Amino acid sequence: MNQHLSTPSWLATILLCLAAVQAVSVPPGCQTVAPQQEPLNQVRTARVSLPNSLFGLIYASVQTDIAFVSLDGKLGDSTLGVLNTTTFPPSLIHQIPLPAEYTSVEGAYGIALTSHGQHVLVSIGPGLLVVNVTRAIAGSSDAVVGAFNGTVGDQMPGDAAIEVTVSSDDRYAFVSQEYGAVAGVTPGNTDVFKLHKPTSNGSVSGTAISYLNLGGLVVGTALSPDGSILYAIRSPSVVDVKNLETNPAEALLSNVTSGCGPVRVIVSSDGKIVWVTARESNHLLAFDSAKLVSDPGEALLASVQVCTSPVGLTFARNETRILTADSNRFNYANATTGLSVVDVHAALAGKQAVLGRVPTGLFPREFSVSPDGSVILVADYASEEIQAVDVATLP
């Protein structure tokens, strides 16, 4: 034993260690306006105006110069926008009308791409739409090839679909119904649809399997890299995909407390870390994916203060950076919108991790990263703009 280290020093060291553990093991409380961050004015960005508020964004996987955006016209006037991404920022080249009977209450929101890149799935009020990628790029009026309603038996369908996630084998789609099957009665469902193979004329049919009620407002979802786990936010809830596909009522593995108002989730490429935005805490949270099931109370790895009301999040630079879309969703005075740039390694080491704020338009909400990782598109929902970010200029 080191005789020169006094008992008070030992005690102080232990107390400091306990304080550090406590700081990361307890989720953050609620917070209205976050502290201001230094603007990163050196980051190259450019914006383009669109005809409606925009929500989901995704790059095509086969046609690398194309991306898609859901344009939320509401009241039956929503479209899927087709973007030419060879310019910076991209340009809108087509708008594919979406069936009014599916978008008359809530508009088009989240979008996802099947693994083979042939179809875009669009979440709409009661379920989802399927859009043929080739036809959409051509601006064809018959690009919408499937429409699914969430009615299962006598259960009323939800009408507030937010995100859609496709199983890794493209056989199932999971739709987050924020308010559940009946708004105000059973909040928070994940609806399950089985997707059938396209017919000879290209149409896609499906079957509504059932739903998993998660007992809280369900918004963002993400799959583990191997496709075996679905992370559904607002908890996060950890869901077994195999059971979800066949017997949803038995699919829930765990629920985890994660600050105030968690809304979006992404998973590291090795599947070990789950990242969540806690919108009403103004924090970015990191969880050990294994402990989310085995030891939920000890799963929290990092808690990073970002700016006001973070919603979307994305990786950049080979997962060494995370950007959060700090939306100021509730229009607080003296709060700014922007993208917090977070150093991932510093965050996991418990060090100062926010490198600054990229200025944006109003209510930045969702992201999509180009196939080569060089450009990030941001949906500035309230200012009706797409903002392109040059990744090479990020700190």
Side-chain angles (χ1 to χ4, degrees), residues 191-255:
D191 289 350
V192 182
F193 297 90
K194 185 172 184 179
L195 305 177
H196 302 155
K197 291 182 178 180
T199 63
S200 58
N201 67 1
S203 64
V204 177
S205 62
T207 304
I209 300 297
S210 189
Y211 62 90
L212 171 63
N213 181 264
L214 294 171
L217 305 181
V218 178
V219 186
T221 55
L223 281 176
S224 61
D226 65 2
S228 66
I229 296 292
L230 180 76
Y231 298 98
I233 300 302
R234 268 200 167 194
S235 288
S237 299
V238 184
V239 180
D240 180 85
V241 168
K242 186 176 180 180
N243 280 336
L244 185 63
E245 293 172 348
T246 57
N247 187 16
E250 301 297 324
L252 182 63
L253 299 176
S254 69
N255 278 321

Side-chain angles (χ1 to χ4, degrees), residues 284-323:
L284 170 67
L285 308 177
F287 294 91
D288 181 310
S289 62
K291 287 186 177 180
L292 282 173
V293 176
S294 66
D295 191 5
E298 298 299 322
L300 186 61
L301 296 174
S303 179
V304 180
Q305 171 80 69
V306 292
C307 265
T308 302
S309 306
V311 179
L313 71 168
T314 191
F315 291 115
R317 287 190 174 177
N318 297 314
E319 300 185 18
T320 63
R321 299 288 185 269
I322 288 177
L323 276 61

